[in-house]
């Protein structure tokens, strides 16, 4: 890798103003990492930003009768709404090689560019790589700061995560490298809900850092390199408790394709422990995007267990109770995406490819959501409502609903080529 450039001047989308962005290596300070501040997570009014099948960005909140169109350029790949719902990040590319990151106010004003394609070209990347693009970009909880990793593309299969975790201050345009992860092909970050800590997941372990980038625990958990039978490296997807004091990490077996399948392991850590502890082992269906879905209080873990055959593949949805240390069967069928939990952990959502979508109360029966019939995944916005993108049969729709709640169609499109991709401030 080359050195991080000492300064990059970005050009704003609005030519009437300028947005300087200084990038320095390991120079995060109070100027770039603001102290935690209100609002508390989930207390701001519900806000949704989404990308339509036409690749334009929209914004919606409950005061609007229809979504507000933010762009008309047809090049938005992802939107990330701020925790308070006042701003939206726009990740743009017309060719999946050259990227730009913009920021716009929720009312459609103040469009400005944070990073241009030329800026990405100046970021450090391995020799022989073709380009650098954003990999994971997110608002840091309880702040107005943005965290971002990059990804380096090579000719042929495979891509490599850049070595730096960057922090962007949207007000000043300043961008700095908070920390560096060297000699690792793939890694990612997960902030605690209060923004005070972050976990760095790597192919053979997870480290814990403070908000300001200081290493608190190296090898909070370690595990053997997982044979993914592909050109990517598996990394853990940790689940934080809402108070940011505890973590659940689920790890697959080293050889997840062996028959019979070996058990995945469930690990637990809290701030009173020097390292994570093994608390359970269960046979889980291997998925690169995650093995399990953990309740907000970390008391229960949902996972998929393979039960069918190669000719008739089915799975069983199971619920592992961290107190009872046992698993119970919830449903069996064509369930291929992990369930999602309500914000209070009282119920969860899952989708069966053959029979539809369901909301299940932890202490009650499953209720089918007829309007969510083509929605593999859904995001809960509170204890009773969830948002999903339903399609593509008949076109894509963005829905807000729940058990016993009239489903609201926020947006619909007759196009089926691109799915609706959305983010919520929850």
């Amino acid at each position: 890798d080359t050195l991080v450039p000492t300064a990059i001047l970005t050009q704003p989308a609005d030519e009437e103003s300028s947005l300087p962005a200084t990038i320095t290596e390991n120079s995060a300070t109070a100027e770039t990492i603001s102290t935690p501040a209100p609002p508390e997570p989930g207390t701001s009014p519900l806000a949704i930003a989404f990308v339509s099948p036409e690749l334009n960005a929209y914004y919606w909140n409950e005061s609007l009768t229809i979504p507000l169109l933010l762009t008309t350029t047809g090049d938005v790949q992802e939107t990330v709404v701020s925790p308070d719902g006042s701003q939206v990040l726009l990740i743009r590319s017309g060719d999946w090689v050259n990227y730009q990151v913009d920021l716009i106010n929720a009312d459609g004003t103040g469009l400005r560019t944070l990073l241009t394609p030329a800026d990405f070209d100046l970021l450090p990347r391995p020799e022989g790589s073709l380009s650098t693009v954003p990999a994971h970009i997110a608002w840091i909880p309880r702040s107005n700061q943005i965290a971002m990793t990059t990804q380096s593309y090579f000719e042929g299969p495979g891509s490599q995560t850049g070595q730096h975790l960057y922090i962007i201050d949207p007000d000043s345009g300043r961008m700095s490298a908070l920390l560096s992860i060297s000699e690792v092909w793939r890694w990612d970050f997960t902030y605690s809900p209060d923004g005070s800590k972050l976990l760095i997941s790597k192919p053979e372990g997870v480290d814990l850092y403070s908000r300001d980038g200081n290493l608190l625990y190296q090898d909070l958990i370690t595990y053997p390199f997982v044979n993914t039978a592909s050109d990517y490296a598996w990394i853990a997807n940790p689940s934080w408790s809402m108070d940011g004091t505890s973590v659940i990490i689920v790890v697959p077996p080293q050889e997840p394709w062996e028959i019979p399948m070996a058990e995945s392991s469930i690990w637990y850590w809290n701030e009173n422990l020097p390292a994570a502890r093994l608390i359970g082992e269960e046979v889980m269906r291997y998925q690169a995007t995650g093995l399990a879905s953990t309740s907000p209080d970390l008391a229960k873990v949902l996972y998929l267990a393979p039960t069918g055959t190669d000719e008739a593949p089915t799975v069983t949805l199971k619920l592992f109770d961290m107190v009872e240390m046992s698993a119970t069967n919830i449903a069996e069928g064509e369930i291929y995406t992990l369930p999602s939990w309500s914000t209070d952990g009282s119920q969860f959502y899952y989708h069966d490819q053959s029979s539809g979508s369901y909301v299940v109360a932890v202490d009650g029966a499953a209720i089918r959501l007829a309007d969510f019939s083509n929605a593999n995944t859904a995001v809960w916005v509170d204890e009773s409502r969830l948002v999903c993108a339903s399609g593509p049969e008949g076109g894509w729709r963005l829905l807000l609903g729940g058990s016993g709640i009239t489903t609201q169609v926020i947006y619909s499109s007759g196009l089926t080529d691109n799915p609706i991709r959305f983010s919520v401030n929850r």
Side-chain angles (χ1 to χ4, degrees), residues 49-51 57 76-81 88-91 421-423:
F50 63 94
V51 181
V76 181
Q77 303 297 339
E78 183 183 355
T79 58
V80 189
V81 64
V88 179
L89 280 168
L90 308 173
I91 294 84
R421 296 186 290 272
F422 66 91
S423 63

Side-chain angles (χ1 to χ4, degrees), residues 292-313:
S293 177
T294 306
S295 61
D297 62 359
L298 307 190
K300 295 177 174 60
V301 175
L302 289 162
Y303 64 94
L304 305 175
T307 53
T309 64
D310 292 339
E311 294 74 21

Side-chain angles (χ1 to χ4, degrees), residues 12 140 254:
I140 300 175
Q254 187 174 12

Side-chain angles (χ1 to χ4, degrees), residues 60-307:
W60 180 88
N61 63 31
E62 294 184 272
S63 70
L64 299 173
T65 55
I66 60 173
L68 177 65
L69 178 64
L70 299 178
T71 68
T72 58
T73 52
D75 63 352
V76 181
Q77 303 297 339
E78 183 183 355
T79 58
V80 189
V81 64
S82 63
D84 64 0
S86 67
Q87 299 178 94
V88 179
L89 280 168
L90 308 173
I91 294 84
R92 314 174 81 145
S93 177
D95 57 10
W96 298 93
V97 175
N98 299 289
Y99 277 78
Q100 178 168 308
V101 177
D102 289 350
L103 185 65
I104 191 170
N105 296 329
D107 61 4
T109 64
L111 178 66
R112 63 261 195 207
T113 297
L114 298 179
L115 287 167
T116 68
D119 295 331
F120 279 107
D121 282 342
L122 290 175
L123 295 178
R125 58 186 171 94
E127 184 178 353
S129 59
L130 300 179
S131 65
T132 295
V133 303
H136 180 188
I137 186 166
W139 294 89
I140 300 175
R142 303 295 309 279
S143 81
N144 69 336
Q145 309 294 296
I146 300 160
M148 182 185 74
T149 57
T150 58
Q151 191 166 279
S152 300
Y153 281 122
F154 297 82
E155 187 173 356
S159 61
Q160 180 177 355
T161 305
Q163 69 179 45
H164 300 296
L165 174 60
Y166 295 107
I167 306 298
I168 304 171
D169 178 66
D171 297 327
S172 68
R174 181 180 173 85
M175 176 174 169
S176 58
L178 177 67
L179 52 86
S180 298
I181 307 296
S182 60
E183 300 179 357
V184 174
W185 185 258
R186 182 176 182 232
W187 60 277
D188 202 0
F189 65 92
T190 309
Y191 274 90
S192 61
D194 63 356
S196 65
K197 299 183 271 305
L198 72 152
L199 292 168
I200 298 296
S201 300
K202 301 177 295 185
E204 295 181 278
V206 177
D207 300 332
L208 177 67
Y209 287 79
S210 66
R211 180 190 185 88
D212 57 7
N214 290 322
L215 180 64
L216 300 178
Y217 289 101
Q218 187 168 14
D219 295 336
L220 192 71
I221 176 178
T222 60
Y223 39 80
F225 191 94
V226 176
N227 177 18
T228 65
S230 187
D231 56 12
Y232 72 93
W234 183 88
I235 55 175
N237 183 22
S239 297
W240 283 98
S241 62
M242 291 306 296
D243 61 4
T245 63
S246 307
V247 173
I248 291 287
I249 300 173
V250 181
V251 179
Q254 187 174 12
E255 298 291 339
W257 311 110
E258 287 185 343
I259 302 298
M261 183 178 293
E263 294 176 324
S264 296
S265 53
I266 304 171
W267 297 80
Y268 172 80
W269 174 87
N270 68 36
E271 56 188 13
N272 297 317
L273 297 175
R277 292 180 178 174
L278 178 65
I279 57 173
E281 294 179 297
E282 300 289 332
V283 175
M284 302 181 184
R285 182 175 186 266
Y286 176 75
Q287 298 183 128
T289 55
L291 299 173
S293 177
T294 306
S295 61
D297 62 359
L298 307 190
K300 295 177 174 60
V301 175
L302 289 162
Y303 64 94
L304 305 175
T307 53

Side-chain angles (χ1 to χ4, degrees), residues 6 74 82 241 279 319 334 336 400:
T6 56
S82 63
S241 62
I279 57 173
L319 179 66
E334 298 178 39
Y336 303 124
L400 174 65

